[in-house]
Amino acid sequence: GEVLKKYIWVVTFLIIVLLAGGMLYWSGQDETEKDIQFKEKQIEDANAGWSYEDENGNSCVTGAPAFLKKEVEKNEPLVLEKVFSDADEKSNYMAIRTIHMKLKVYVEDRLVYQYGDTSSDIFTNPPNAWHVFSLGESPKGKKIRVELTSVLDKYNGTVSNMYIGDKSTLILHI
């Protein structure tokens, strides 16, 4: 009885040591491009070059993050537009941070993402959130329109960070 218990403990200990050693050995090996492809891909900082109209109807350009409070009223959308002339063909996801805002995103004139403006949303007051969503296609050469509608006076006209890339790289970035 007692010898058998010692034998089982020794064998169990050796198996654990071998498994741990094997895991350490293989984790230190070079990873192939095939194994982890998203490490190779880059995200595009989409913060610069967004056009909008000011309160006088003049066309203006802004970058993000920005605070354009005087341009919009509470519950009125701030509409930003940009054509991505040099986007990667494989970058078909977008990440946008919003602070207590409703969000709509269009590629050309096709709605591709909506948050905070449907009856199925959990929150009546949209929270501070990151949104990662598919554009359906590469934005290269396409006009992207982002509509940000603040539900709180404090955040009217707030434009937060925006990125273009593949889904896994964007999630790791944020």
Side-chain angles (χ1 to χ4, degrees):
E2 196 66 34
V3 174
L4 184 59
K5 284 184 182 177
K6 276 188 174 181
Y7 180 75
I8 291 173
W9 279 106
V10 169
V11 169
T12 303
F13 178 76
L14 288 174
I15 290 172
I16 291 171
V17 168
L18 287 172
L19 286 173
M23 289 171 58
L24 286 172
Y25 174 76
W26 279 295
S27 69
Q29 296 296 310
D30 290 337
E31 296 157 341
T32 65
E33 182 181 301
K34 182 178 167 186
D35 291 334
I36 302 180
Q37 294 179 352
F38 64 82
K39 282 189 173 182
E40 299 281 329
K41 297 179 182 175
Q42 300 293 316
I43 63 166
E44 179 181 341
D45 182 340
N47 288 325
W50 290 92
S51 63
Y52 70 97
E53 284 188 6
D54 67 11
E55 71 248 8
N56 299 322
N58 299 319
S59 182
C60 303
V61 176
T62 189
F67 190 62
L68 308 170
K69 186 170 181 74
K70 64 183 179 190
E71 309 303 341
V72 292
E73 298 293 324
K74 177 181 168 186
N75 291 317
E76 178 187 321
L78 172 63
V79 179
L80 303 169
E81 295 181 336
K82 178 176 180 173
V83 175
F84 286 87
S85 56
D86 58 351
D88 185 341
E89 290 291 335
K90 295 179 182 173
S91 297
N92 63 340
Y93 273 79
M94 188 168 194
I96 299 177
R97 182 175 179 219
T98 59
I99 302 172
H100 302 292
M101 293 187 176
K102 298 174 184 178
L103 171 66
K104 289 183 181 178
V105 179
Y106 298 83
V107 174
E108 296 296 325
D109 289 321
R110 182 176 49 84
L111 180 66
V112 295
Y113 185 77
Q114 179 174 345
Y115 179 78
D117 209 14
T118 64
S119 60
S120 64
D121 289 335
I122 297 170
F123 304 102
T124 55
N125 179 7
N128 181 354
W130 274 100
H131 307 270
V132 178
F133 52 90
S134 174
L135 295 171
E137 57 193 294
S138 169
K140 186 172 187 172
K142 306 238 177 4
K143 179 179 72 175
I144 306 293
R145 185 171 80 238
V146 175
E147 295 181 6
L148 299 164
T149 306
S150 178
V151 296
L152 301 174
D153 285 328
K154 182 177 180 180
Y155 298 108
N156 286 356
T158 301
V159 181
S160 294
N161 292 311
M162 296 182 254
Y163 302 98
I164 299 284
D166 71 280
K167 186 176 184 178
S168 57
T169 305
L170 287 171
I171 290 170
L172 286 173
H173 180 74
I174 59 174

